[in-house]
Amino acid sequence: MEILADDTERLRAEWDLERRLAELETLHAVALAGIESNSLDGLIEKVTSIIGEKLYPDDFGIAFLDEETCILNMHPSAHTQAGVHFPPMPLDHGIMGAVARGRIPRRVGNVRTDPDYLEIDPAVCSELCVPLIIGDHLIGVINTVSSHPGAYSVADERLLVAVAGELGIAIEKVRLYEAE
């Protein structure tokens, strides 16, 4: 029995190490995209591709806030399951709207139990959403959903918060570049 426990611990440690390596590679890739990108659309497309391929293959996207209308609009580069389209989301609707209003990340293991959840895709079971902020200014949210219940961990939330920080810096750099 002791050998089995040792193997289990070793496998768990290997999985944790692989996960941390994937997280570091992802953060590095996002930072590199920020350095290399000279357009906002190019940056968002690249980051969406990186995150969607490496971490959250179900549905992943970045929605930007239209300050005039108070509506979140999903960037066209969002990775979504076939046929699913994220409609414009008013700030007073859905988990994305709640995250934008409160500026606090939200990890929901079962969306059916969340009063803010707005069903867009009946296959969705869990959601992770973090605000995208530059300085004190909310510019949007990063959102991922999964067809698996409890798909996101505290580590996923921390990683997506870190990605949002890197992305905020990159967006600010690109906006300054475009302004010149």
Side-chain angles (χ1 to χ4, degrees):
M1 290 301 254
E2 191 172 313
I3 292 172
L4 184 58
D6 287 345
D7 284 346
T8 302
E9 280 184 41
R10 182 181 53 76
L11 288 173
R12 186 173 298 131
E14 286 176 6
W15 184 87
D16 286 344
L17 187 59
E18 286 177 21
R19 171 68 187 196
R20 287 190 187 111
L21 181 59
E23 290 173 355
L24 288 172
E25 287 173 347
T26 301
L27 284 172
H28 176 71
V30 169
L32 200 56
I35 292 168
E36 295 172 346
S37 296
N38 292 325
S39 76
L40 184 59
D41 280 338
L43 171 65
I44 300 307
E45 287 171 10
K46 193 170 229 176
V47 169
T48 299
S49 177
I50 290 165
I51 303 297
E53 290 172 11
K54 290 182 181 266
L55 298 174
Y56 308 119
D58 281 3
D59 288 354
F60 175 84
I62 300 167
F64 287 93
L65 177 63
D66 180 329
E67 291 183 25
E68 289 182 21
T69 62
C70 293
I71 290 179
L72 292 165
N73 294 297
M74 190 62 70
H75 191 271
S77 66
H79 280 225
T80 61
Q81 299 300 316
V84 175
H85 171 72
F86 286 99
M89 185 71 56
L91 290 184
D92 59 349
H93 287 79
I95 293 172
M96 287 193 333
V99 166
R101 287 190 318 272
R103 298 178 178 212
I104 297 172
R106 194 129 163 223
R107 182 173 36 93
V108 182
N110 179 357
V111 295
R112 304 290 180 273
T113 64
D114 192 299
D116 289 319
Y117 179 67
L118 181 63
E119 186 173 303
I120 295 169
D121 178 358
V124 169
C125 291
S126 55
E127 184 168 0
L128 174 59
C129 189
V130 302
L132 184 54
I133 299 171
I134 297 176
D136 289 335
H137 189 73
L138 176 84
I139 62 166
V141 296
I142 299 175
N143 190 64
T144 183
V145 297
S146 176
S147 58
H148 303 287
Y152 306 107
S153 66
V154 172
D156 289 311
E157 185 176 329
R158 281 194 307 257
L159 176 61
L160 212 53
V161 167
V163 166
E166 282 293 324
L167 184 55
I169 292 166
I171 289 170
E172 191 169 26
K173 176 231 157 216
V174 168
R175 285 183 173 170
L176 289 171
Y177 178 84
E178 287 179 337
E180 288 181 4

